[in-house]
Amino acid sequence: MDYIGMNYILYFDYASLIVMVILLVSFCMIKHLDTIQNQILSVMLWGHLCVILMDIVNGLGPQWNIPGIHEILYMTHLIYFMVHNLTIFAFFFYCCCQVDFIFGRRLYIFALSFLPMVISFILMLSNAGNGWIFTVDENLVYRRGPMVLVVYLIAGVYVALSIALISVYRTKLTKLQLLVTYLYLLLCITGVAVQYFLPKLLVESFGMTVAMMLLFFTTAKFSDFYDQNFNVLNRQAFLHIVNSRINWLESSYIICLKVHDMQLYRLTMGKEFQEQLIRKIISYLYTEFPGANVFQYSNSEFVMIPKKKVKEKRISQVLDNIKEKFRETWQVGDNEIRCSFHVARFLYGVNEEISKPGQLREQLDYINNYSKIIENNVIETKDMKIGVAARKLLVQKLLREAVDHDGFEMYYQPIYSVREGKIISAEALIRLKNTDHGFISPEEFIPIAEQNGLIMRIGEFVFRSVCRFIKENNLGKFGIEFVEVNLSVVQCMQEKLHRQLLDIMGEYGVTPEQINLEITETAEATRMDAFQKNVFALTDEGIHFSLDDYGTGYSNINFLYKFPFNIVKIDKSLLWGAFENEKAMITLESSIEMAKRLNLEVVVEGVETEEHIELLKELGCEYLQGYYFSKPIPGKDFLQYVSSMVQA
Ligand code: C2E
Ligand code: CA
Ligand code: CA
């Protein structure tokens, strides 16, 4: 076809240009979520602008009498074709984002989808030599080449692919999104068709501009992803961004910070206080890691994702800084508080710890459950290498093996009497014998054993081992008056528990005053009748009880009155807290005072330093337990330790 003397009708292009510029300016001025979909949208906007400009130059150029105009026109035609196809190619990926199509698991499709594009680019780049697509002759006349249709067909391939994708996954789109996507495609097709048959009418870009406008106005609003109150991206935004990045094969670290006791702050200090604290934490996170997006995942959980790939070292540094920062107090209004926390890092990506956005919740729940172990600390990725479900299965398997093949061992931690100046008791603490998987804390495996019922057999092992230990070594000779044994909540709810324990004691000839059972108040929650029956039946036999973990729960006092306890064990967090804030100090003081007035003995756990001992002596605390004296150690070592203490 020949276009000599043709007068292009450019009005549509001028109108398109104005609209496109407005769209682009708005796009740049409005905040957007940092997703691939939005990046593609921006590529499409710039692409369209470029196509329109080229179209205008192509239309006006032949009338310009300037040197090099022939080459300029050749280039603008070429760029027109290339960018035109590129935007349709980009739209195909835009559709992939919309329906959350995961290339990660279908890499070959990803590779294949580039093929038509590559072919069209080769054709266009070789056009200078063969003129297959178009030529611009010495009179500046543009002529279509014999293969120009191929370029249009390739664009058509992406249109068809997009239609197929959208149709297959239409349930993932809202009605409006679906309508706009189809309209976009329809406008593109008709634009191209009209221009093909009526080449004078440069209407194609106008169709595309209208389509672009529709797309622009139906992309998710930033305000849906942003919490104005706290000035932070919300959980929705997190899910969106991670999803989009995983789908596009990106992998990166995420840092998750959990601040403990947020709910407690709200209850005790009020909503305003809690919100102010959250704002402080968020603004700290922004300054700590400016290169990251910060999200509020829940009231007490905050997530950071680096905007660009960063080295592991940078992540470690941020984690260290957070740890350092949380050592300090937070000034909120007139109050200064120190928050306990834990922080973890994960890798997300197709084959990483988090390969679906929902898995973060699982990982966080898992950590939150065991946060006692890792309070005020950083959780290393290596500890979290396997997913939650897999880890649980592994621990279950190890527990089963241990139950069947003598895989547990009892450790003993001495308890020191201030008055007598010697070790008078010990707490029995269970250990899973060294596994290939490193040390597994009872804090992790006891809850799992409670869930799958193994706890009864484990409990029996514990009690049997302790009774044997007392008898075989004649502990009384070492000045050990009794051994503390932990009972799990689930154990206490078994009707026959008291029978089982009494039978075992009978078997080894252990007397009731040689045993002290430790229970926690959480035991109260369910099946109260069985629980009560067990406690009273054992008390009737002369066995004493200790209330464990005092100071970590809520309704201790009530529980304390209800049952005939002899000992209150004050949790280590209360002791450690007393050195950090006045309120914890008052709580510790009054707890010890109250216990004494109720005629209860007090054991304080977590005694690690001379200062701890000084303070506790001053407060008149009678029994001390902690690493200062000894960590939990195997029975043999315990006996040696006690003998050496006696000699010293
Ligand atoms: P718990 O009953 O509160 O046990 C005290 C925990 O504090 C022990 O951890 C002990 O090693 C640790 N601890 C003692 N002094 C210090 C100190 O000065 N510094 C520090 N940092 N830690 C100290 P462990 O042995 O890991 O036991 C954890 C929990 O697992 C126990 O908490 C208890 O709830 C449960 N558990 C342990 N053994 C048994 C058992 O035989 N049966 C049942 N049902 N639960 C058990
Ligand atoms: Ca205990
Ligand atoms: Ca305890």
Side-chain angles (χ1 to χ4, degrees):
M1 224 181 278
D2 198 334
Y3 295 89
I4 299 172
M6 173 182 271
N7 284 321
Y8 290 104
I9 300 166
L10 284 168
Y11 300 116
F12 282 109
D13 270 331
Y14 295 145
S16 302
L17 184 65
I18 294 169
V19 174
M20 218 50 223
V21 168
I22 294 173
L23 283 185
L24 253 171
V25 170
S26 330
F27 187 82
C28 294
M29 283 178 49
I30 301 170
K31 259 191 170 177
H32 287 279
L33 209 55
D34 180 18
T35 57
I36 304 214
Q37 188 174 357
N38 282 332
Q39 286 165 16
I40 295 178
L41 190 66
S42 123
V43 166
M44 288 170 66
L45 284 166
W46 284 106
H48 274 297
L49 183 70
C50 177
V51 166
I52 294 166
L53 285 174
M54 294 304 118
D55 221 12
I56 292 175
V57 176
N58 291 344
L60 296 178
Q63 296 153 34
W64 296 341
N65 201 357
I66 50 172
I69 185 67
H70 181 262
E71 285 72 25
I72 293 176
L73 278 178
Y74 180 82
M75 281 317 287
T76 51
H77 277 292
L78 185 68
I79 294 172
Y80 174 89
F81 272 114
M82 291 174 97
V83 178
H84 182 276
N85 266 19
L86 206 67
T87 49
I88 295 184
F89 181 56
F91 180 72
F92 168 65
F93 285 114
Y94 183 86
C95 291
C96 293
C97 291
Q98 274 201 317
V99 300
D100 275 340
F101 188 80
I102 307 168
F103 278 115
R105 306 208 168 80
R106 309 177 182 88
L107 257 181
Y108 58 97
I109 300 188
F110 188 59
L112 219 60
S113 64
F114 276 82
L115 190 65
M117 198 65 218
V118 172
I119 295 176
S120 84
F121 267 57
I122 292 174
L123 274 176
M124 290 182 218
L125 291 175
S126 63
N127 183 60
N130 54 33
W132 282 350
I133 312 290
F134 69 91
T135 51
V136 178
D137 68 14
E138 52 290 358
N139 299 321
L140 306 181
V141 175
Y142 164 84
R143 287 170 216 274
R144 288 174 177 166
M147 302 264 282
V148 70
L149 211 58
V150 176
V151 174
Y152 280 101
L153 276 178
I154 285 176
V157 167
Y158 288 110
V159 170
L161 280 176
S162 306
I163 293 176
L165 194 74
I166 294 293
S167 310
V168 171
Y169 293 100
R170 60 183 170 280
T171 49
K172 291 203 176 180
L173 296 180
T174 63
K175 279 211 177 85
L176 184 66
Q177 281 177 319
L178 201 64
L179 184 74
V180 166
T181 315
Y182 280 134
L183 261 177
Y184 180 95
L185 292 166
L186 189 73
L187 281 166
C188 290
I189 297 169
T190 42
V192 172
V194 169
Q195 184 147 5
Y196 192 79
F197 294 111
L198 301 170
K200 270 168 81 172
L201 203 59
L202 296 185
V203 75
E204 187 190 345
S205 338
F206 188 71
M208 282 190 144
T209 304
V210 173
M212 217 46 238
M213 225 161 72
L214 288 173
L215 216 57
F216 182 84
F217 287 116
T218 48
T219 44
K221 287 195 298 294
F222 187 71
S223 56
D224 297 340
F225 298 111
Y226 199 75
D227 187 324
Q228 300 283 353
N229 187 17
F230 295 119
N231 272 327
V232 72
L233 291 167
N234 62 21
R235 178 202 295 239
Q236 222 38 47
F238 168 80
L239 296 176
H240 211 70
I241 288 185
V242 171
N243 207 12
S244 121
R245 294 205 184 173
I246 292 174
N247 289 350
W248 290 90
L249 301 177
E250 280 186 28
S251 68
S252 158
Y253 283 104
I254 354 185
I255 296 177
C256 304
L257 167 70
K258 160 96 184 181
V259 180
H260 299 169
D261 302 327
M262 267 304 178
Q263 197 50 30
L264 200 66
Y265 295 140
R266 197 186 180 95
L267 288 173
T268 53
M269 322 278 272
K271 180 166 172 258
E272 186 53 36
F273 176 91
Q274 186 215 33
E275 292 194 349
Q276 249 179 298
L277 176 64
I278 292 176
R279 266 182 226 114
K280 290 233 152 161
I281 293 173
I282 288 170
S283 84
Y284 158 70
L285 293 178
Y286 280 127
T287 49
E288 182 55 58
F289 198 172
N293 282 312
V294 178
F295 306 84
Q296 187 179 20
Y297 194 79
S298 73
N299 249 348
S300 58
E301 290 158 320
F302 308 90
V303 182
M304 288 195 275
I305 303 183
K307 289 178 189 157
K308 298 200 179 74
K309 255 207 151 33
V310 291
K311 293 223 171 72
E312 192 190 343
K313 232 173 79 193
R314 173 78 180 113
I315 299 290
S316 303
Q317 185 197 356
V318 172
L319 290 172
D320 285 347
N321 292 349
I322 292 178
K323 209 169 141 186
E324 222 26 64
K325 172 74 186 174
F326 273 79
R327 258 186 240 279
E328 297 164 17
T329 54
W330 297 84
Q331 180 81 40
V332 182
D334 294 335
N335 298 288
E336 255 187 53
I337 57 154
R338 198 184 302 269
C339 300
S340 82
F341 74 101
H342 62 257
V343 47
R345 62 161 165 214
F346 301 106
L347 270 168
Y348 71 74
V350 175
N351 294 315
E352 302 293 352
E353 291 143 329
I354 293 172
S355 58
K356 290 191 207 98
Q359 281 169 339
L360 182 70
R361 182 69 272 157
E362 270 181 47
Q363 298 273 22
L364 288 176
D365 285 345
Y366 182 77
I367 293 179
N368 290 344
N369 283 340
Y370 301 113
S371 58
K372 267 208 268 169
I373 329 173
I374 43 183
E375 191 160 307
N376 298 341
N377 217 334
V378 174
I379 300 151
E380 287 302 323
T381 331
K382 65 173 163 36
D383 302 333
M384 299 295 304
K385 262 277 145 63
I386 51 177
V388 182
R391 170 80 184 179
K392 218 166 152 180
L393 280 177
L394 170 73
V395 173
Q396 278 188 1
K397 187 176 135 256
L398 293 175
L399 284 181
R400 249 183 223 112
E401 282 169 12
V403 166
D404 290 337
H405 300 106
D406 185 29
F408 295 110
E409 192 175 352
M410 290 317 292
Y411 274 38
Y412 296 86
Q413 188 177 31
I415 296 175
Y416 177 84
S417 158
V418 174
R419 197 182 323 120
E420 300 189 34
K422 67 178 183 71
I423 304 298
I424 53 102
S425 170
E427 177 172 2
L429 294 156
I430 191 165
R431 297 288 176 262
L432 242 173
K433 275 187 197 161
N434 230 340
T435 67
D436 298 338
H437 304 274
F439 177 73
I440 297 177
S441 162
E443 263 174 314
E444 180 177 7
F445 71 74
I446 295 283
I448 294 176
E450 284 177 339
Q451 279 171 21
N452 68 8
L454 283 178
I455 190 67
M456 288 310 287
R457 290 179 65 190
I458 294 176
E460 185 183 337
F461 164 85
V462 169
F463 204 65
R464 204 172 269 285
S465 310
V466 170
C467 287
R468 193 186 308 119
F469 184 62
I470 294 173
K471 208 66 219 165
E472 280 178 359
N473 299 293
N474 196 358
L475 284 194
K477 235 178 44 200
F478 292 86
I480 304 300
E481 297 165 14
F482 58 93
V483 176
E484 298 267 344
V485 183
N486 290 285
L487 287 187
S488 121
V489 186
V490 177
Q491 270 178 291
C492 295
M493 294 185 316
Q494 311 294 320
E495 300 274 348
K496 57 178 196 328
L497 175 81
H498 61 283
R499 240 347 332 132
Q500 184 195 43
L501 299 187
L502 292 171
D503 286 350
I504 295 174
M505 284 166 67
E507 219 176 288
Y508 291 93
V510 167
T511 58
E513 55 281 0
Q514 289 177 299
I515 295 285
N516 226 319
L517 297 174
E518 291 191 4
I519 53 179
T520 56
E521 60 160 331
T522 44
E524 195 186 17
T526 36
R527 303 251 348 238
M528 199 52 197
D529 42 343
F531 183 84
Q532 253 171 346
K533 208 167 115 193
N534 278 323
V535 174
F536 287 112
L538 290 163
T539 312
D540 283 349
E541 296 291 329
I543 294 180
H544 289 167
F545 279 84
S546 306
L547 175 58
D548 202 0
D549 299 339
Y550 185 87
T552 57
Y554 298 97
S555 56
N556 282 296
I557 315 280
N558 202 356
F559 193 64
L560 197 57
Y561 293 158
K562 231 183 212 156
F563 296 100
F565 287 109
N566 282 70
I567 296 178
V568 175
K569 294 194 76 175
I570 293 183
D571 194 71
K572 41 192 177 289
S573 60
L574 215 52
L575 171 65
W576 298 343
F579 284 83
E580 291 187 342
N581 74 69
E582 189 59 23
K583 283 182 183 151
M585 178 66 93
I586 294 169
T587 317
L588 177 68
E589 279 172 11
S590 41
S591 300
I592 294 175
E593 173 69 19
M594 178 195 67
K596 287 204 303 199
R597 290 178 65 184
L598 289 171
N599 267 333
L600 294 162
E601 309 267 23
V602 180
V603 179
V604 177
E605 288 180 346
V607 177
E608 292 189 345
T609 62
E610 300 267 3
E611 289 90 76
H612 288 160
I613 297 183
E614 282 307 308
L615 172 73
L616 292 170
K617 279 186 178 168
E618 221 170 89
L619 298 179
C621 175
E622 172 51 16
Y623 300 108
L624 314 179
Q625 175 183 356
Y627 290 180
Y628 179 83
F629 301 99
S630 165
K631 289 192 170 183
I633 42 180
K636 240 177 38 226
D637 300 350
F638 173 75
L639 295 176
Q640 235 166 29
Y641 174 84
V642 179
S643 323
S644 69
M645 283 284 277
V646 173
Q647 280 156 17

